[in-house]
Amino acid sequence: MSQEMLTVLETKKRGKPALPKGVDDDLVRRMYRLMLTTRLMDDRAMRLQRQGRIGFYVPSIGQEACAVGSAAVMTDEDWCFPSYREPGAALTLGADLQAIVHEWYGNAADNTKGRQMPVHYSFKAQRFVSISSPIGTQIVQGAGAAMAMKIRGKKAFSITYFGDGATSSNDFHTGLNFAAVYKSPCIFFCSNNQWAISCPLSQQTASESIAVKAQAYGMPGVRVDGNDVLAVYQATSEAAERARAGEGPTLIEGLTFRIGPHSSSDDPTRYRPSEQLEEWQAKDPIARLEAFMKKAGLWEDAFGEPLVEEINASIAEAVKVAEETAMPASATLFDDVYADLPAHLAEQRDRLLQQEKTAGAAEMDADAAFPL
Amino acid sequence: MPTLTLLQAVNSALMDEMAEDENVVVLGEDVGLNGGVFRATEGLQAKYGENRCFDTPLAESGIIGTAVGMAVYGLRPVPEIQFSDFIYPAFDQIVSEAAKMRYRSGGEFTCPMVIRTPSGGGIRGGHYHSQSPEAYFAHTPGLKVVMPATPYDAKGLLISAIRDDDPVLFFEPKRIYRSIKQDVPEGAYEVPIGKARVAREGTDCTVVTWGAMVETCEKAAKQAEEKGISMEIIDLRSLVPLDEEAFLESVRKTGRCVVASEAPRICGFASEVAAIVSEKAIESLEAPVLRVTGFDTPFPYSLEHVYMPDAKRVLAAVEHAVNF
């Protein structure tokens, strides 16, 4: 199998570079803005975490092109089964910045009602399915949703995101196998950021690439420059066409790099060589798109500092609103376990509320910090 | 009204609900052309096509994981796990995903699905075809856990489970798949989830049980009657949600409680029932709450009949309670 890697942004040709099919100037500008917003959200959230204002965070710095370029292909019929490193996809699909920030705080306005750690988003209106922490479970679910689309005769696809670490999980094997057997319209998008917390890719697989694994499942495997948003868009768009045409699933490997830590609790200087970090910092997906836009005549001065300031201002406003919002009420603990509240939960809730009246509410341990 | 076995009643429920709701799909190992190894899905593929009833690759995590994706998308999948002993590869998808989807998404996404699986011993199936794993699932908030003991209940409960908006573990007591026959109405009807049934009325000792153990306890009740002891049997039908009032009311009347289950004792569901009786009916008790269960050993092959609680063991516990 070919180990070629699709790249679009840098071309040796002179003159205005060509855009992939389906991409116009406005989309390029929009993707730039989305990638920048994702980056600035990460910057802000990591600082909020360091200041003790939110409990935890997972940055996706350096990987914005994978999430944005692929999600930009989706229409209202398509569904997304993300991991926790695709906030860029949520933004691309139209998730509200304020809703994202409420989720960091787990407050009463958080649409997931403070039920999960920060970054475990759920956006039903955007068909962005609730994220869990286990690294591969969504792969099989994405395959299942694609089977459902096929059963209903929809010309749509599901896209499931995961990292290189998840390719070691049984869910990776199972998801790809089911999707291929049923020829279901599923795109498996691996953001290969080369590190699973402290373990490099060589600890996950002895395979020469992730994309090559597709061959054994009987589906195409494509390797794409994951820091090249146009290449990501093109590869995903081709996979989407195959899916909609009933030709089955595709595995896409976006080769990228996790510039930041695994999470706010991780210190990558303990295990990762600084030369590798520097090498990849030089391939920053946002800087590369900026250079392309300048060459293509798509850049405007307003995309520089003014845009950064505008986005930062809206994040700051969202943070302010979130911090002024109360935490969820104790009684909400018992909602949404089932469609209807069963008797045993009603009993537990009533007892808790009674106890709060007589003995006061339970107190949060201000020093509790997540270690991983 | 046709007289059906429990297995035929399951098939009848699937037939009716697939006709009723085109979102209902059946998937699993050998459920298609072959109609399932026990024949519970016989005829479904012929009637509803390969899009509605289909075989899967041999991977339980894949059967349940894809069903979760289908349910989140809007279908009502009814996956079959061929034997409940094979359910463990799917445990993560059941307890981490299906059970938590509604809660973790703040109610945005739901996972209406029914995991059908034959369970329990007494078929000479050895360790890997005989276990009773219901407690693992009853311990997980977000799941409903159901086990019928009669053909009538099997059909009505399965239909209720398919119409339920939450994930349901539907354990089918395979030892009595074909041994009990009962009049079962044609067409769809519901037996509500979360309502227990008085399987036998009595005055001296309450026996709380579920699944195939209901039949065992009925045998014990006949033997008890000969000794002048009147046993009341409560068939739970649903473990989650649990109809506490049904057995508490019975215990308040009889003053004694035995809980009978095939599963191992430690942390089994029998212990949960015993704890509730102790917490809420202590003033009525004239004897300790006793558990009759499988032993805390792996499920054996040759000594299966020794392992499984039989009528003698149930009767011994009842006599102990009555003579306490």
Side-chain angles (χ1 to χ4, degrees):
Chain A
M1 174 165 277
S2 165
Q3 286 301 290
E4 278 173 30
M5 189 159 70
L6 177 66
T7 302
V8 175
L9 281 177
E10 289 84 10
T11 163
K12 286 176 184 154
K13 285 182 195 157
R14 290 176 172 276
K16 185 178 173 174
L19 294 173
K21 190 178 158 193
V23 180
D24 60 16
D25 294 354
D26 281 347
L27 181 58
V28 175
R29 295 189 186 105
R30 187 171 155 252
M31 291 197 292
Y32 179 81
R33 190 190 171 97
L34 289 162
M35 288 166 65
L36 185 63
T37 307
T38 309
R39 175 75 54 93
L40 295 174
M41 267 180 7
D42 278 358
D43 286 346
R44 182 71 176 138
M46 285 298 279
R47 275 184 287 124
L48 290 171
Q49 195 279 333
R50 297 297 183 236
Q51 293 163 355
R53 292 158 73 182
I54 61 173
F56 175 76
Y57 195 72
V58 178
S60 61
I61 297 168
Q63 300 180 216
E64 297 90 347
C66 282
V68 171
S70 53
V73 174
M74 289 173 64
T75 72
D76 291 351
E77 294 287 307
D78 307 318
W79 282 55
C80 170
F81 289 76
S83 83
Y84 42 65
R85 235 178 278 280
E86 279 80 32
L91 282 172
T92 305
L93 294 170
D96 179 38
L97 180 65
Q98 182 68 67
I100 286 174
V101 176
H102 278 316
E103 199 272 349
W104 300 349
Y105 285 84
N107 62 28
D110 167 19
N111 67 323
T112 66
K113 304 182 188 174
R115 301 267 170 71
Q116 291 216 80
M117 297 172 86
V119 196
H120 291 63
Y121 307 112
S122 168
F123 297 111
K124 179 79 186 276
Q126 282 71 36
R127 304 160 315 285
F128 184 94
V129 177
S130 163
I131 299 166
S132 66
S133 302
I135 44 100
T137 46
Q138 76 281 10
I139 303 175
V140 197
Q141 295 164 14
M147 288 161 70
M149 290 168 174
K150 192 173 178 182
I151 289 168
R152 283 200 178 162
K154 294 263 184 198
K155 291 225 177 301
F157 67 87
S158 76
I159 181 165
T160 172
Y161 292 97
F162 50 94
D164 42 301
T167 65
S168 302
S169 72
N170 59 4
D171 293 308
F172 173 80
H173 164 68
T174 310
L176 268 71
N177 190 46
F178 271 60
V181 164
Y182 295 108
K183 236 179 169 186
S184 54
C186 190
I187 299 174
F188 298 97
F189 196 105
C190 177
S191 294
N192 176 5
N193 70 15
Q194 308 184 57
W195 287 88
I197 305 188
S198 67
C199 294
L201 182 60
S202 59
Q203 289 280 316
Q204 299 300 331
T205 183
S207 174
E208 55 185 312
S209 75
I210 304 293
V212 74
K213 297 182 183 225
Q215 189 176 17
Y217 293 102
M219 72 173 80
V222 182
R223 203 167 203 226
V224 58
D225 179 341
N227 285 17
D228 176 341
V229 71
L230 295 183
V232 169
Y233 183 95
Q234 184 176 320
T236 311
S237 182
E238 286 165 7
E241 273 179 38
R242 293 188 64 253
R244 292 190 185 114
E247 291 167 26
T250 303
L251 172 62
I252 299 174
E253 174 187 3
L255 187 63
T256 183
F257 193 75
R258 194 193 78 209
I259 295 293
H262 162 70
S263 77
S264 52
S265 310
D266 176 42
D267 174 10
T269 63
R270 290 168 57 88
Y271 52 79
R272 202 167 65 179
S274 57
E275 307 80 56
Q276 194 190 21
L277 176 63
E278 286 155 21
E279 178 198 335
W280 281 89
Q281 278 172 327
K283 300 180 193 170
D284 185 289
I286 299 179
R288 283 174 67 193
L289 183 57
E290 180 182 331
F292 173 87
M293 288 167 75
K294 284 175 175 164
K295 195 175 172 191
L298 297 174
W299 185 261
E300 292 162 25
D301 288 345
F303 294 146
E305 206 45 43
L307 182 58
V308 171
E309 279 173 25
E310 180 205 321
I311 295 168
N312 275 336
S314 39
I315 296 170
E317 176 59 22
V319 167
K320 184 168 170 283
V321 171
E323 291 190 343
E324 287 166 359
T325 306
M327 284 294 121
S330 300
T332 66
L333 196 62
F334 304 93
D335 297 338
D336 305 315
V337 183
Y338 301 95
D340 301 311
L341 191 73
H344 69 286
L345 284 182
E347 181 185 317
Q348 290 170 25
R349 181 196 59 189
D350 295 347
R351 240 184 234 166
L352 173 70
L353 296 181
Q354 188 56 40
Q355 187 191 302
E356 285 191 351
K357 265 190 202 161
T358 54
E363 283 159 30
M364 189 187 282
D365 177 0
D367 297 329
F370 186 69
L372 191 68
Chain B
M1 200 181 293
T3 302
L4 301 184
T5 63
L6 199 149
L7 194 57
Q8 289 166 331
V10 166
N11 183 267
S12 172
L14 292 169
M15 278 286 180
D16 288 350
E17 280 309 279
M18 288 180 83
E20 189 83 16
D21 182 355
E22 62 174 19
N23 287 317
V24 177
V25 296
V26 168
L27 64 154
E29 296 162 4
D30 305 299
V31 301
L33 184 63
N34 195 39
V37 294
F38 288 102
R39 307 285 174 265
T41 59
E42 188 152 43
L44 297 180
Q45 190 178 68
K47 185 160 181 193
Y48 297 103
E50 291 181 19
N51 250 350
R52 303 273 313 278
C53 175
F54 47 92
D55 295 322
T56 62
L58 302 193
E60 286 76 14
S61 66
I63 296 168
I64 304 303
T66 53
V68 170
M70 291 175 204
V72 165
Y73 185 72
L75 300 187
R76 286 188 178 256
V78 186
E80 176 181 298
I81 298 295
Q82 203 163 74
F83 286 86
S84 64
D85 313 76
F86 304 157
I87 206 166
Y88 305 109
F91 199 67
D92 193 25
Q93 288 287 350
I94 299 170
V95 306
S96 300
E97 301 293 324
K100 292 174 175 61
M101 188 61 75
R102 180 189 293 279
Y103 195 73
R104 78 183 199 210
S105 70
E108 285 202 331
F109 292 99
T110 58
C111 198
M113 61 193 282
V114 183
I115 301 171
R116 286 185 43 248
T117 186
S119 79
I123 62 155
R124 308 281 297 152
H127 187 80
Y128 297 104
H129 304 84
S130 304
Q131 297 167 90
S132 297
E134 60 267 24
Y136 292 120
F137 302 98
H139 193 61
T140 301
L143 300 176
K144 294 187 176 178
V145 180
V146 172
M147 200 185 306
T150 66
Y152 179 88
D153 283 351
K155 180 169 177 179
L157 283 168
L158 182 53
I159 287 171
S160 295
I162 293 171
R163 294 176 182 180
D164 198 282
D165 289 331
D166 289 305
V168 179
L169 269 291
F170 193 85
F171 290 100
E172 295 170 5
K174 60 183 177 289
R175 180 165 66 78
I176 54 169
Y177 253 161
R178 298 184 179 89
S179 63
I180 302 175
K181 287 193 174 184
Q182 196 179 18
D183 287 347
V184 174
E186 285 182 84
Y189 63 93
E190 294 184 30
V191 170
I193 293 174
K195 292 298 282 181
R197 171 182 74 104
V198 180
R200 180 190 179 95
E201 287 189 28
T203 53
D204 299 331
C205 182
T206 299
V207 176
V208 183
T209 189
W210 56 93
M213 279 300 293
V214 173
E215 192 201 31
T216 305
C217 292
E218 279 168 350
K219 275 185 201 154
K222 281 180 195 142
Q223 293 169 18
E225 201 168 29
E226 289 164 17
K227 297 187 174 193
I229 301 170
S230 165
M231 254 171 72
E232 177 147 302
I233 301 173
I234 305 294
D235 169 11
L236 289 180
R237 301 199 285 199
S238 306
L239 307 191
V240 183
L242 180 64
D243 189 355
E244 292 182 10
E245 219 25 65
F247 60 80
L248 288 173
E249 191 186 326
S250 173
V251 171
R252 287 184 193 117
K253 180 177 74 178
T254 64
R256 298 172 190 89
C257 182
V258 169
V259 195
S261 152
E262 272 183 48
R265 172 168 303 213
I266 296 177
C267 292
F269 200 78
S271 303
E272 180 62 27
V273 173
I276 291 169
V277 172
S278 306
E279 282 180 357
K280 298 187 175 174
I282 188 80
E283 69 281 3
S284 305
L285 287 175
E286 293 177 34
V289 183
L290 301 173
R291 291 169 294 168
V292 180
T293 65
F295 298 113
D296 289 318
T297 67
F299 196 100
Y301 176 63
S302 297
L303 295 178
E304 172 181 54
H305 56 289
V306 180
Y307 174 92
M308 290 181 60
D310 58 3
K312 279 184 202 162
R313 262 156 72 186
V314 174
L315 184 60
V318 168
E319 287 186 289
H320 181 69
V322 169
N323 298 325
F324 186 79

